[in-house]
Each structure stands twice: as structure tokens, then as C-alpha cells.
Amino acid sequence: MSSPIDINLEKLINKVLVKKSQNNDRDYTHFHPSEFYACHRKLVYKYYEAQGICSPSEPAASFIDPQLQRIFDTGHGMHFRLGKNLEETGILRGRWRCPSCSKIFGKKDVLGIHRPKTCDCGGQKFQYQEVGFYDDETMIGGHVDAILDLRGTEGVPEDASDEDSHILVDFKTIRSEAFRRLMAPRDSHHIQMQTYLYLSGLKVGKFLYENKNDQTFREFLVPYDEACVAKIRSDGQRLKKVVTSTNSKGQHTLPARAHKKNNVKECVECSFRSHCWGLSK
Ligand code: SF4
């Protein structure tokens, strides 16, 4: 009897994932709240890459390791699932796309709108889209996972202002060991949330951490942190100045490195490591 047919599924899927990470279309012509805690020199490199001013000196880690791409995709899947859950609460604000005619509702409203009942074309199904913000002063822009309007719930009066009645929500997945130790949002996440609060003008955010192993939740309320926002603003303004000007010789410049040595994790994984440290490859 001949041997049964077989296929290496890991190889097959990895090929798709490597291609996907090579076609990553994240827009780096502005700075992202989720990366603002990172080395600012790296953010400037990414901006220059997006503008065709320089190219990475090393491939991104996800080009080499498809498992990383699977981890990212698992996080995206969780976002989609929790977004769907919040849609059913009736308090979620966002942009809403009618799949029948592609019309998008809520584009003009800074905080988005509640899910419409019916589209002009008669369609009654809508796809949720996250609300995006952009601040020209700092060149920081990004999309928030969810904005919840608590008016009429949780003791919030119906006539409360947006600022007093809305809450930003950010979803995170986290491994079991880290979940057990998690007593407060991580510093990087705190900066991300404060950046969203700055961009949106809202005063309270909430993190929902989901344990990757058993899907248990832990949530943290994060009030607006004036000192942190002031730092984000001044850093953003400084970075904008760096990327939108050149020195007296007409050359593009870089901010200082975030690290003193290049053997720290962030540098080891950085796509601009050789450029940054003048290393020969
Ligand atoms: S190599 Fe390190 S210091 Fe240089 S840009 Fe990358 S993260 Fe920043």
C-alpha cells in the first residue's frame, strides 16, 4: 500500500504569514500611541523609512519569525471578539459601515456614533470600525479599541457632557504568568492610554486585560494624568520638529538613542540597529 498523502501545514501557513508581514501597511508617516513608549529614535527611523529617506538595516522580527505574526493575529482576533460583544450593549460609539452599500456612518463625529438602525439603502447590518484621532501638533494618531457612552447607565445622568460620561477602552491579551502578577497597567500601556486621552479629549480610560490561557479578565480604570500628557505633548512636538526639518547641511537628523548599549532587547530586535550604532553587517 502506498503511503498516505500529507502536507506540512506549518510551512504552508508560515509562508502566508511571512508574506503578510512583508506587506504590512501600517502608516508610519505619523507616530502611534501604542509605540510612543518605545525608543523615539526608532520612531523617527520608521518615519524616514515611510518617507523613502532611509531603509531598515535589518529585517523586522516578524519577517523572520511567523510565530510572532500568529501572536499578533491572536490579539487582533480577541479585539474583534470583544468589539462584537460591546456592540450588543448599545453603548458603543464608533464608525459603522453598511456592508451592502459601503456607506460609513459617524465619520464626522469626533467620538463616533451609536450603531444606526437602518442604512439609506435599507440594510440593517453594520460593521463596527474603530474611531481614529490625529493631532497635528505632535503628529500622533491612532485608533481606539472602543468608546463607551455611559449616559443613562452606571448612575451617569442623561444630560452629562461627553467628558463626564464617556470612557475609552483598550483591550490587551496577556500570558498567564504575567496576568497573575498584573496589579496595574504596564507603564507602556499607561503612556498609550494617556496618549489616547489626550487625542480624544476624554478624561477616563479603562484597560481590559484578557488572560491568553483561560480568557479570564482583569480591568483597570485609568484617569487622565496631566503630567504624563504634558510630557507626551512636548515629546511629540520635539519629534515633529526633528522629522520636519534638516540641519544646516540639509541633512535629516535623529533624536538621541533611548539606550546606552545595543545589547538590550529593544535594540537587538530593532530593524535600524546597524544604522543606529554604525555596525557593519
Ligand atoms: S537600535 Fe536601539 S537605540 Fe537605536 S533606534 Fe533602535 S531601539 Fe533605538
Side-chain angles (χ1 to χ4, degrees):
M1 195 175 119
S2 60
S3 54
I5 58 164
D6 192 10
I7 186 168
N8 185 324
L9 288 175
E10 183 172 351
K11 227 166 152 181
L12 186 77
I13 290 167
N14 285 355
K15 223 164 136 183
V16 173
L17 293 177
V18 168
K19 201 164 167 195
K20 185 175 167 188
S21 70
Q22 284 167 345
N23 292 325
N24 181 1
D25 57 357
R26 191 164 211 208
D27 180 6
Y28 280 106
T29 57
H30 62 85
F31 307 120
H32 293 265
S34 59
E35 298 182 14
F36 213 65
Y37 72 95
C39 171
H40 286 174
R41 188 172 169 109
K42 184 168 70 178
L43 305 189
V44 169
Y45 271 126
K46 286 186 178 183
Y47 175 86
Y48 287 156
E49 181 191 0
Q51 298 290 3
I53 294 166
C54 80
S55 346
S57 49
E58 281 85 15
S62 55
F63 282 19
I64 304 163
D65 184 2
Q67 191 192 348
L68 260 185
Q69 192 64 51
R70 289 205 284 279
I71 292 170
F72 295 153
D73 285 350
T74 303
H76 293 149
M78 171 266 206
H79 277 67
F80 179 76
R81 171 166 52 79
L82 296 182
K84 287 301 262 182
N85 295 156
L86 287 181
E87 262 186 67
E88 299 312 315
T89 64
I91 61 171
L92 176 67
R93 289 182 69 158
R95 321 261 192 245
W96 302 91
R97 182 180 174 276
C98 168
S100 308
C101 70
S102 299
K103 180 170 178 175
I104 297 172
F105 292 79
K107 275 200 290 192
K108 290 195 186 119
D109 297 75
V110 180
L111 298 176
I113 58 170
H114 293 90
R115 185 171 65 188
K117 296 227 172 340
T118 313
C119 180
D120 307 339
C121 74
Q124 294 189 333
K125 289 198 167 137
F126 293 91
Q127 291 161 344
Y128 168 69
Q129 294 185 341
E130 296 169 349
V131 174
F133 299 97
Y134 178 73
D135 174 48
D136 190 49
E137 182 185 293
T138 56
M139 287 177 56
I140 303 175
H143 291 80
V144 295
D145 290 341
I147 298 173
L148 301 182
D149 177 358
L150 303 187
R151 279 180 292 214
T153 68
E154 311 287 333
V156 180
E158 291 282 2
D159 59 354
S161 66
D162 287 351
E163 195 182 302
D164 291 333
S165 60
H166 285 60
I167 194 164
L168 285 182
V169 180
D170 196 80
F171 307 132
K172 301 286 181 207
T173 50
I174 184 165
R175 278 177 301 182
S176 209
E177 317 84 75
F179 185 85
R180 266 198 303 275
R181 292 193 302 269
L182 189 74
M183 295 301 153
R186 291 177 173 173
D187 289 350
S188 56
H189 295 167
H190 182 75
I191 292 172
Q192 182 182 1
M193 180 62 86
Q194 294 304 327
T195 314
Y196 286 137
L197 292 175
Y198 165 58
L199 294 175
S200 65
L202 295 179
K203 294 292 176 242
V204 189
K206 183 159 245 198
F207 281 113
L208 183 61
Y209 285 89
E210 185 180 273
N211 185 330
K212 283 183 189 179
N213 299 54
D214 63 6
Q215 280 63 54
T216 45
F217 283 147
R218 191 164 294 165
E219 53 189 282
F220 299 100
L221 197 66
V222 184
Y224 184 86
D225 175 345
E226 212 172 316
C228 185
V229 169
K231 169 97 172 63
I232 290 164
R233 278 186 79 178
S234 67
D235 284 353
Q237 288 164 353
R238 183 178 50 83
L239 287 187
K240 177 176 177 178
K241 208 164 163 194
V242 169
V243 299
T244 54
S245 60
T246 50
N247 64 15
S248 56
K249 293 179 186 155
Q251 295 160 333
H252 295 282
T253 60
L254 293 164
R257 298 181 187 99
H259 308 288
K260 290 199 169 59
K261 292 189 174 171
N262 62 14
N263 58 357
V264 298
K265 190 169 182 274
E266 189 174 19
C267 291
V268 170
E269 292 176 352
C270 178
S271 306
F272 300 92
R273 189 160 58 100
S274 297
H275 286 327
C276 177
W277 292 93
L279 305 173
S280 53
K281 290 193 296 158

